[in-house]
Amino acid sequence: MATEEEGTCKLCGIVAPLQRSHIIPRSFYKRAKDGGSQLVVHSAASGRQPLFINADPRERLLCFKCEQHFSTSYERWGTRLFFPDRGQRNLIVDMGSQVKFKDFRYEDTYLFFLSILWRAGVSTLDDFKGVSLGSNLERWIAWCLKERTILLADGVCRMDNFIRLGIIKLVDRTSERSQEMLRRAIIGFGQEASVSRDSFIYYFGVGGFLVIFYFSLKPLEPMDPSVVRSAPRPGTRTFRAECVPVQQLTQIVDLFRSARTAGMPTRRRGGQ
């Protein structure tokens, strides 16, 4: 008889003891807390207020082998990308209207964020119930994540022909919100309809950035930069994320207004 901790791994399909998997990597919550015991999580779901929490959402999703695969293949790179060690901080350059990432790896970055989207899609937690990918897309993404490739099983189509990634840096040129507030905010998954009936958008925010997934039912040209704002280009070794004032993003502004009631941490002396 299966124990309470056993189940079917969502990635490989094997019945085994399941780990308490992080949906959004623990490193992002650790940086958001910044030594504190609590953080404020902003939910992009309609009608949900920001909440104080002591821990990050976890769920028994993956077996030990797949959990380690996610950690070594994706999360180490994602953490280094946004939170480089002291000796690597020159790899992120603030250029005013853009943030330049040097030594950028397109495919690793794409798969890292795709792994977060997939975990949110297969999760049963209330925090992620707004993310619905459908069983077919979940299987396609799972195959890419297992094989560590953006090529689909046919070896011809690419996942980024159907899901395009965009990354923008959130800034506030006014004195209303400090960069520390933006950096420490965790913005839960939200969804928006696109101008086309054949497409829609999911997004979430971590580390002062907004990560955007643009879904299209029709194949997109992989090098077309006009599909989604601030999209990395395949094969590039550098990436310039556009800096976007939060005032241009209505839903994000509304989240931070709600955060005032929830008691979002205020600016620290010398915080950026």
Side-chain angles (χ1 to χ4, degrees), residues 36-198:
S37 61
Q38 290 185 319
L39 55 83
V40 176
V41 173
H42 308 269
S43 173
S46 177
R48 298 191 63 181
Q49 295 296 312
L51 299 172
F52 277 113
I53 64 171
N54 292 309
D56 48 310
R58 291 186 287 176
E59 184 176 1
R60 297 194 185 277
L61 294 180
L62 304 175
C63 67
F64 178 79
K65 183 177 180 180
C66 289
E67 183 78 21
Q68 292 304 302
H69 171 62
F70 269 36
S71 176
T72 57
S73 299
Y74 305 124
E75 293 179 11
R76 287 182 184 175
W77 165 251
T79 301
R80 175 240 187 258
L81 179 69
F82 282 97
F83 308 112
D85 294 334
R86 186 181 299 274
Q88 298 176 319
R89 289 179 184 173
N90 64 328
L91 297 178
I92 300 179
V93 182
D94 186 350
M95 303 177 67
S97 63
Q98 297 175 325
V99 173
K100 181 179 179 181
F101 291 88
K102 296 191 276 186
D103 189 26
F104 185 79
R105 305 175 196 167
Y106 171 79
E107 191 162 319
D108 286 342
T109 303
Y110 183 90
L111 289 170
F112 167 66
F113 285 119
L114 193 67
S115 75
I116 297 175
L117 176 69
W118 178 82
R119 278 175 278 184
V122 300
S123 173
T124 61
L125 298 177
D126 286 344
D127 306 67
F128 307 103
K129 65 181 180 181
V131 181
S132 179
L133 303 177
S135 58
N136 286 336
L137 185 54
E138 286 175 4
R139 285 196 297 270
W140 295 342
I141 295 176
W143 190 90
C144 288
L145 294 176
K146 284 187 292 184
E147 299 298 322
R148 199 175 176 182
T149 179
I150 61 175
L151 285 175
L152 298 178
D154 62 7
V156 177
C157 294
R158 297 163 54 106
M159 184 60 70
D160 58 358
N161 288 147
F162 301 94
I163 305 176
R164 186 62 51 81
L165 174 69
I167 306 172
I168 63 176
K169 173 72 172 179
L170 297 175
V171 297
D172 193 335
R173 305 303 187 193
T174 72
S175 59
E176 187 174 356
R177 302 166 194 86
S178 68
Q179 284 304 122
E180 181 191 10
M181 175 185 287
L182 298 175
R183 180 182 62 83
R184 296 184 63 191
I186 301 287
I187 301 172
F189 275 87
Q191 181 182 9
E192 287 187 9
S194 184
V195 292
S196 168
R197 278 187 265 176
D198 297 323

